[in-house]
Amino acid sequence: MTISYNWLKDYLHCGLSPEAVCEALTSIGLEVDALEQTEAIPGGLKGVIVAEVVECVEHPDSDHLHVTKLNTGEPELLQVVCGAPNVAAGQKVLLATVGTVLGEDFKIKKSKIRGVESFGMICAEDELGIGEDHSGIMVLDPSAVPGTPAKEYLHLETQSVIEIGLTANRVDAASHIGVARDLYAYLKLNGIPCSLEIPDVSAFSEGEGEAVPVELLAPEAAPRYTGTTIRGVKVGPSPEWLQKKLLSIGLRPINNVVDITNFVLMEIGQPLHAFDLNKIRGGKVIVRMAEEGETMVTLDSVERKLSSSDLVIADAEGPMCIAGVFGGIDSGVTEQTVDVFLESAYFTPAYIRKTSKRHTLKTDASFRYERGCDPLVTEWAAHRAALLISEIAGGKVCGRVQEACPVKPEKKLIELDYARMEAFIGKKLGWQVMESILTDLAYEFVESRCDAEGNHLGATVAAPSYMVDVYRECDVVEEILRIYGYNNIELPAGMKISVNATVKPEPEAVRNTISDFLAANGFVETMNNSLTKSEYYSKCTTWPEEKCVRIMNPLSTDLNVLRQTLIFNGLEVVAYNINRQISTMRTFEYGSVYSFDPQKDGKTLDSYEEHQNYALFMTGPEEKSWRAEARKGNFFQLKGYVELLLRRFGADIWSMETTPAPSDIFAEGLSYRLQGSDKLLLTLGTVAPALCRQFGIKQPVFAAEISWPALFELIKRDKIKYKELPKFPEVRRDLAVLVDESVTYADLRKSALKAGKKLVRNVRLFDVYRGDRIPEGKKQYAMSFILQDPDKTLVDAEVEKIMSRILSSFTNEWGAVLR
């Protein structure tokens, strides 16, 4: 939300600087994102001052130049050579002194003009940027005081623009008066002199004649609709003051009528819309739901197909605008408009939000309507705009204001107990402070409850209609705390908390251990939005689109479903970094994934599932060093990190059941399931090149996704035992065997551990060979075996016996042949 400091001071009269206002706003919950200050004229005419021409003589070496002596308020006169034909002694002028920069880069320097020194320049209007006249220098009023800065003499304002980061519940602060109201309550509480002045609209009166009638056919979508008929309007450019106010907050002036509606919107937060009355066919305004498939052309010249859930403002022949969102091109005010129908309404937020999202239209009006406007301010806003139109455009109100409001909106009544509120706040503020704050925020006290001594114990208050999220006593407490200041609530010396026993292992501690392990191995943690685009799942068989949890009112088509996997988010991160010249990276993410069971009706919670996953990504070669060339990344590097991670918690990846990874996601890879269970633990592999291309990635990417519930179950299941280091040496033996292509290293490893019983401590594959002298359909595995007895030193005979048993197992079970 953009707020003009100068505009704000029209309503809030105080001596605070823009910086102090920003500090106050942040303290009351309206966090300031930025403060920008701009000059009416670039540079603010710094270095330009008022001067008096004391002496003016002809230049000795020119027939059109003059040599002048100027009084600048200093003891000594300043000599300036001037070529303007109208310069004369006794004039008050504007002087650009040496060092002044005019325009973008024209710097005034000390110079010699035909042999005569000149220490500045007497300026014309166009040279200062305040006009277009260049026929001569700018001659000031004789009362001007020499030495006065030009900025001060010309009353040039410095525009301070404040950007406020509004939260969704603070639509009441989406206007200058809304912000001024909050600031007033804060400043008054803190004893800072200030006053709040809301424009008076009591001068509004209804006129004679016939007004355009209003017919409300959709009261559930438009609980209140008012229309004011104004005739005899002269449409043209807005006055300078109005244009400046709109420009100060980034709005482009259009014409006086439209500018007034925008002005009132930014002043009080109530959207208005002006129709050309002569374009309303049938002489009646109809507020109704659109017919399914009905079309209209909006102000951006786009023909839009409407839904039956869209609210429209129509005439007898069709829609004139999409209510609360966007106007129509055929009904708007133009230079030919003479009569105007002015709309001021309250629309149900849910209808406006859905329409805005459906048509991907975000406007200043929809921003406010979908968050909830003040239902009682429509009349004030209409009167304010009508008075301004009459003043600026010369129109007159015709007939009575037409209002359709089946149920008059009422303020919410809330019961307050001051003792309970102070207990909630954690500090005794006193009833006087609380009632003062609420009064300044426009709360009405319907009833007060007092004790015998006259102290107020509580009250029944009517919450102001602009506070759309205030319903309960705790909401009122929040409003009081905002103004009083959270920083003014002292922390108690002691705090009472309950300590709950936690299960072992503690999930949070395990997650921290995993994150620390990955970070220590060079992985960078990322965080992504759980909302993603359904397009990713449209051709995916592993995570089909029908299982996506859809968002009813998506912010955009790129954020219309909840993610089923972390893989796509991770590929987005990889693509983003590659596009910024970061081609080597290791990342991981811990986050939630969601799915929907299409076999169920979706009306109960068991139709949906949510759990957390870990995802790891590697891409790009290792960093090149002076000792070695950069090695390309591969699937087995990532597999090694996953294996180390599982081993950290005592889990053995080789004891798990494996299946090929899904081919639509991975070109090669494996899926691991918990032993004795069908629960999927993890899937890892090389991301399919076709999938990488969808994200604009041209280099190999290796990814793994680990199910946190399955991993935590594995960690709880596997008990870690500690024992002393072995006292006796280990023995290594190597074997090279020829096996079928279908036989895996995991098969042989499992057989070796079984045959070697407790004496085989580790099995390692150090070479795989296919090629010369290897038959078709065969491969050679070269493996090392680490043998160790915890109670004695193994002798050669024992080692050979164990290796013979292992080889026999390979031969009998897998048809292996010793090489």
Side-chain angles (χ1 to χ4, degrees), residues 97 138 451 457 476 519 523 571 601 661 768 808:
T97 57
M138 185 176 177
D451 61 14
L457 303 177
V476 178
F523 286 81
L571 292 175
D601 59 10
V768 179
S808 296

Side-chain angles (χ1 to χ4, degrees), residues 328-495:
I329 198 168
D330 296 326
S331 60
V333 173
T334 65
E335 292 182 357
Q336 289 73 42
T337 298
V338 176
D339 302 326
V340 170
F341 178 82
L342 182 65
E343 166 194 286
S344 180
Y346 172 74
F347 299 124
T348 304
Y351 283 87
I352 304 304
R353 178 174 176 78
K354 290 178 181 179
T355 295
S356 174
K357 300 305 177 190
R358 185 180 302 110
H359 296 287
T360 62
L361 287 170
K362 292 290 292 183
T363 61
D364 287 327
S366 68
F367 175 85
R368 288 159 178 80
Y369 274 132
E370 67 186 32
R371 286 162 174 78
C373 287
D374 182 351
L376 297 181
V377 83
T378 54
E379 184 178 321
W380 186 97
H383 292 177
R384 172 72 164 156
L387 288 171
L388 288 171
I389 291 174
S390 298
E391 176 188 339
I392 295 171
K396 290 186 178 181
V397 176
C398 182
R400 298 178 60 85
V401 174
Q402 301 296 298
E403 181 176 37
C405 183
V407 180
K408 190 75 172 179
E410 295 182 354
K411 295 182 178 181
K412 298 180 285 286
L413 296 180
I414 303 171
E415 295 288 335
L416 303 182
D417 183 306
Y418 293 156
R420 185 170 58 229
M421 291 169 69
E422 287 180 329
F424 191 40
I425 291 170
K427 181 178 180 178
K428 289 188 176 297
L429 303 185
W431 63 268
Q432 298 92 338
V433 171
M434 291 191 285
E435 288 192 357
S436 173
I437 292 173
L438 294 178
T439 300
D440 292 335
L441 289 176
Y443 282 77
E444 296 178 13
F445 285 82
V446 178
E447 180 186 0
S448 293
R449 296 183 296 279
C450 306
D451 61 14
E453 299 176 357
N455 296 313
H456 291 204
L457 303 177
T460 301
V461 297
S465 53
Y466 64 80
M467 296 302 300
V468 296
D469 69 332
V470 174
Y471 294 94
R472 302 166 297 170
E473 182 183 80
C474 58
D475 299 326
V476 178
V477 170
E478 183 182 351
E479 293 303 298
I480 292 173
L481 274 173
R482 275 197 315 106
I483 303 303
Y484 185 78
Y486 287 95
N487 293 334
N488 294 325
I489 307 298
E490 299 83 3
L491 290 175
M495 299 183 69

Side-chain angles (χ1 to χ4, degrees), residues 103-385:
E104 293 184 1
D105 55 4
F106 180 49
K107 187 174 183 179
I108 305 300
K109 301 177 181 179
K110 174 185 173 182
S111 60
K112 274 190 176 182
I113 301 176
R114 295 198 179 186
V116 178
E117 286 188 320
S118 180
F119 297 89
M121 183 177 80
I122 304 175
C123 301
E125 283 185 4
D126 65 332
E127 292 166 334
L128 295 172
I130 59 177
E132 299 180 358
D133 186 11
H134 192 69
S135 59
I137 60 171
M138 185 176 177
V139 180
L140 308 181
D141 189 271
S143 62
V145 179
T148 303
K151 180 179 179 180
E152 180 181 330
Y153 176 80
L154 296 172
H155 304 292
L156 298 179
E157 290 184 339
T158 298
Q159 287 286 351
S160 297
V161 177
I162 303 169
E163 281 292 336
I164 299 175
L166 279 185
T167 52
N169 66 321
R170 291 306 312 277
V171 69
D172 61 289
S175 66
H176 286 77
I177 289 179
V179 172
R181 184 171 45 217
D182 266 19
L183 273 175
Y184 171 71
Y186 172 80
L187 298 178
K188 187 178 175 185
L189 180 69
N190 288 276
I192 299 173
C194 62
S195 62
L196 183 66
E197 183 180 344
I198 308 298
D200 183 17
V201 297
S202 60
F204 175 84
S205 61
E206 296 176 333
E208 297 179 355
E210 185 178 349
V212 174
V214 171
E215 183 179 2
L216 179 59
L217 300 180
E220 70 287 349
R224 189 176 194 185
Y225 189 92
T226 64
T228 306
T229 302
I230 306 174
R231 298 185 184 274
V233 171
K234 182 175 176 57
V235 177
S238 295
E240 185 180 5
W241 69 266
L242 179 53
Q243 293 194 38
K244 282 184 175 180
K245 286 191 183 298
L246 296 179
L247 288 170
S248 69
I249 57 172
L251 291 181
R252 178 178 61 88
I254 299 173
N255 60 54
N256 49 12
V257 174
V258 175
D259 292 349
I260 287 169
T261 62
N262 287 332
F263 171 80
V264 174
L265 167 66
M266 295 302 172
E267 179 180 56
I268 196 63
Q270 171 62 39
L272 304 172
H273 190 71
F275 297 91
D276 186 330
L277 190 147
N278 294 318
K279 296 178 181 177
I280 300 176
R281 296 157 297 186
K284 181 169 66 173
V285 171
I286 305 169
V287 184
R288 61 172 175 83
M289 305 306 295
E291 297 177 6
E292 189 66 38
E294 195 171 16
T295 61
M296 68 167 290
V297 180
T298 48
L299 286 170
D300 54 359
S301 301
V302 175
E303 184 177 65
R304 301 187 184 274
K305 187 176 181 180
L306 304 178
S307 162
S308 59
S309 56
D310 292 331
L311 180 68
V312 296
I313 311 301
D315 59 15
E317 297 185 21
M320 297 189 292
C321 81
I322 304 176
V325 180
F326 213 29
I329 198 168
D330 296 326
S331 60
V333 173
T334 65
E335 292 182 357
Q336 289 73 42
T337 298
V338 176
D339 302 326
V340 170
F341 178 82
L342 182 65
E343 166 194 286
S344 180
Y346 172 74
F347 299 124
T348 304
Y351 283 87
I352 304 304
R353 178 174 176 78
K354 290 178 181 179
T355 295
S356 174
K357 300 305 177 190
R358 185 180 302 110
H359 296 287
T360 62
L361 287 170
K362 292 290 292 183
T363 61
D364 287 327
S366 68
F367 175 85
R368 288 159 178 80
Y369 274 132
E370 67 186 32
R371 286 162 174 78
C373 287
D374 182 351
L376 297 181
V377 83
T378 54
E379 184 178 321
W380 186 97
H383 292 177
R384 172 72 164 156

